[in-house]
Each structure stands twice: as structure tokens, then as C-alpha cells.
Amino acid sequence: MDRFVAFLNTYKYLIAIISVFNFLLTPIYASISEIYPAHVVVINYTLLILASSLIASNAKTRARSYLLGAFALLSIWLEFSRPESDMIIICRLVSSFLLFFYFCLLLIQQLRKIDEINLQFILGPILGFIYLGILGGILFETIHFIDPNSFHLRGDYSGYVFYYFSFISITTVGYGDITPLTPQAQSITLVLNIIGQFYLAIVIAVFVGKYINVKPNQNV
């Protein structure tokens, strides 16, 4: 049991990253599997919550993540059964945003405690960048929910398209297939573009700084 706990603590960021990518690939699983799409979403979302909760350093913070995750899962289940209910959609958006925002806070607390360059220090910022993209997707979906004319979308689309747009925004790729039209959508897109660039710059600076500080100590 102690070895298993030590394994989880050592590779918790790697497990969380795998679960996040698994969640982002949900549309592919839904298209190639015989499982009902709603079930695929809930299964992958549950795995994501369980894996991301490993970041929590104690039982109290882990219980909070489970509570927020359970509320988000409940909202998703209710939305599949009653997709026309605006209140359920709002609950799902709010609970999902709070959940991933809490994961970001836990991640920041953990990274602050790392004094050496190891696997966790390398994978942690990558995980944080992905959480940032998911938070952006929730914000874009919320804006679209408030005003369906906020974005120009080509062809058929689902809620997943807003997470796709979030990641191409923070990476400043900009394929042009999705265009923010209203000032609200444009402002969030602008903020995400800026945050994405500063995030990468700050992470690189911190990584180099820690490397410089650790290198002399290793040579002593």
C-alpha cells in the first residue's frame, strides 16, 4: 500500500495529464465506440476528476475537489436528461469553472513547494497550461450561452468547439474557422491570448531560474 501511495505521489502530474488528454479526446471515443456519447463524457470526466484530485496534498483539499467534481458530474447527467433547462446548464458551467479553477490553485500551491527540477516540476506547468485552456473553453461556452450570436461558427458544432477555440487562442494559432463577434467574446479572446503568452514566458523564466540555482549546488 505504501508503495502504491508513493507511486501516485511521484507520478501524480503524469497521471493527471494522461487523464486530461483522455478527456480532450472524448469526441473521438464517442464516434468510434458503441457506448452512448453521454456515458463516454461522464466516464472520462470522472477519470479526470479522480486523477486531478491526486494533486491535492491532504484529505481536506482532496475532499473539496471530490465535492466540486460530484456537483459537476451531477449537472452533466441532468443536462443530458433535460438539455432544454437553462438552470441546469448554468449549474454545469459554474461548477465546472469552479472545479478547474480549484485544480489550478492546488497546482500553484504544489509547484511553489518544489525546490528542484524533477518530473513533477516539468509536467506541472504543462498541466496548468491545459487547465487554462479548459477554463477558457468554459468561459467561451458561457458567453455563447448568454448570447448565441457571440461567435461565427462554420458548419455543425457542439459545446466542444469552444474548448477547441480556447486552445487555439492561448497558443495564438488562429485558424480562422471560429470568429468572436461581440465585444464580450473579443475581450475574453484577447485576455486569453495575453495570458497564454505571459504564461509561457513566466514558466520558461522560472524553469531557467531554478536550473541555474540547482546547477551550482550539484557541482559542489
Side-chain angles (χ1 to χ4, degrees):
M1 186 63 179
D2 293 337
R3 290 185 178 181
F4 180 70
V5 174
F7 175 83
L8 293 179
N9 289 330
T10 302
Y11 297 102
K12 58 184 179 181
Y13 292 150
L14 178 60
I15 296 173
I17 287 178
I18 292 174
S19 69
V20 169
F21 276 106
N22 179 69
F23 176 71
L24 294 177
L25 294 175
T26 296
I28 296 179
Y29 299 144
S31 63
I32 64 178
S33 67
E34 297 180 356
I35 303 176
Y36 187 63
H39 297 164
V40 177
V41 173
V42 174
I43 291 173
N44 288 343
Y45 204 91
T46 302
L47 293 175
L48 172 59
I49 293 172
L50 293 175
S52 296
S53 297
L54 294 175
I55 301 173
S57 57
N58 55 61
K60 187 176 181 179
T61 54
R62 193 171 294 116
R64 290 173 182 169
S65 64
Y66 287 152
L67 180 62
L68 289 172
F71 188 63
L73 283 174
L74 178 61
S75 301
I76 291 176
W77 271 113
L78 292 176
E79 184 178 357
F80 281 125
S81 61
R82 298 183 59 187
E84 73 286 350
S85 175
D86 291 344
M87 183 57 65
I88 293 177
I89 296 176
I90 293 173
C91 290
R92 193 258 302 171
L93 291 171
V94 172
S95 60
S96 297
F97 183 86
L98 292 177
L99 176 64
F100 285 100
F101 184 77
Y102 186 65
F103 285 154
C104 288
L105 293 180
L106 292 179
L107 189 61
I108 293 174
Q109 292 177 352
Q110 291 295 309
L111 293 178
R112 288 178 57 188
K113 299 178 182 179
I114 299 178
D115 297 325
E116 59 182 6
I117 297 178
N118 52 25
L119 181 64
Q120 293 187 8
F121 180 75
I122 296 174
L123 296 180
I126 299 176
L127 183 60
F129 190 75
I130 299 175
Y131 284 156
L132 175 62
I134 294 177
L135 284 173
I138 297 172
L139 290 176
F140 286 135
E141 189 178 1
T142 302
I143 292 175
H144 178 76
F145 172 75
I146 297 173
D147 183 3
N149 297 318
S150 296
F151 297 91
H152 172 65
L153 306 171
R154 298 181 180 178
D156 297 332
Y157 68 91
S158 63
Y160 187 83
V161 73
F162 300 108
Y163 299 87
Y164 158 77
F165 179 65
S166 176
F167 279 100
I168 65 175
S169 295
I170 62 176
T171 55
T172 65
V173 175
Y175 291 117
D177 52 344
I178 304 174
T179 307
L181 300 178
T182 63
Q184 294 79 9
Q186 292 170 351
S187 62
I188 296 297
T189 303
L190 178 62
V191 170
L192 279 180
N193 287 341
I194 296 174
I195 292 178
Q197 294 305 299
F198 273 99
Y199 182 93
L200 294 176
I202 292 173
V203 167
I204 293 175
V206 172
F207 185 86
V208 173
K210 282 189 178 290
Y211 179 80
I212 294 176
N213 292 332
V214 172
K215 193 69 174 178
N217 296 331
Q218 292 179 343
N219 295 332
V220 174

